[in-house]
Amino acid sequence: MKALMFLGSRRASSPPQPSRLGERICTFLSIHVGERFEIQIIDPLDYQPTNIFKPTFAYNQTSKPHQLGHLEHLINEADAYVMVSPEYNHSMSPALADLLNQFPSSAFSFKPSLIATYSSGQWGGTCAAVGMRTFLSELGCLPVSAMLHFPSADHVFAPDGKLTQHQDPEQWEHYARRGVDQLYWWATAAALQRQADDPFQLSPAFTRTPAARNAPEA
Ligand SMILES: Cc1cc2nc3c(=O)[nH]c(=O)nc-3n(C[C@H](O)[C@H](O)[C@H](O)COP(=O)(O)O)c2cc1C
């Protein structure tokens, strides 16, 4: 099983932290997700989408930017997604939304996702997570019911991603496992069913206009 873990921050400045808190969360989650999946971290700093918004489905196959085309391939090949987002103004990270918006929902659909949010504040990104459920459902990678939230993440994790001195590793492992195991269960089930019955035969991706999915006119 392959999973892509999206690091949802492209903040390259301080304050409050010297580097992105999201790096610490991804380091911690990699250990637990890595027990179940072959994982690859996708960092938005490695991708420079064009200034003018042009998603991959707006190009023809030959003119698609190589880097975005490659990421689209990875998304298609993955069995599951871990969406790691900071909370910015009680919303999901615009960097994460911007990166995901570059790709067609058919690349993500019929596969599960796990929402992991964090913040330096006390809510751990729960406000952001509410909107992420809607976003990811529309993208077709339905979020599992368990969500992982990391409040005061700058106190829970050291800059190297390890838990700080007063944290109980067993409790955090137990917490992370619930989400990761749900993701694994759904990813395995979906992979078997995708093989048995091509979902795009049943529910084809639209190719011209989303209006293809509209209700009949009254
Ligand atoms: C524009 C902006 C908005 C923020 N909004 C919130 C917020 O609504 N709730 C919260 O708990 N923290 C908020 N924070 C604090 C972030 O949790 C903190 O900056 C964190 O380090 C961001 O993650 P990152 O370092 O991986 O980018 C905000 C930070 C920024 C830069």
Side-chain angles (χ1 to χ4, degrees), residues 9 11 16-17 19-22 86-90 118-121:
S9 169
R11 191 177 65 86
Q17 279 66 238
S19 61
R20 294 175 296 176
L21 255 187
E87 179 167 306
Y88 283 176
N89 295 319
H90 287 194
Y118 62 93
S119 74
S120 53

Side-chain angles (χ1 to χ4, degrees), residues 146-162:
M147 296 193 281
L148 303 179
H149 308 298
F150 300 95
S152 306
D154 46 333
H155 294 288
V156 173
F157 300 101
D160 62 3
K162 293 196 174 124

Side-chain angles (χ1 to χ4, degrees), residues 29 81-85 113-117 125 128-134 136 141-144 146-150 179 183:
L29 283 178
Y81 310 98
V82 182
M83 301 297 186
V84 182
S85 181
S113 59
L114 171 65
I115 294 171
T117 63
V130 172
M132 287 175 75
R133 277 204 173 281
T134 311
L136 296 171
C141 51
L142 307 188
V144 299
M147 296 193 281
L148 303 179
H149 308 298
F150 300 95
L183 187 72

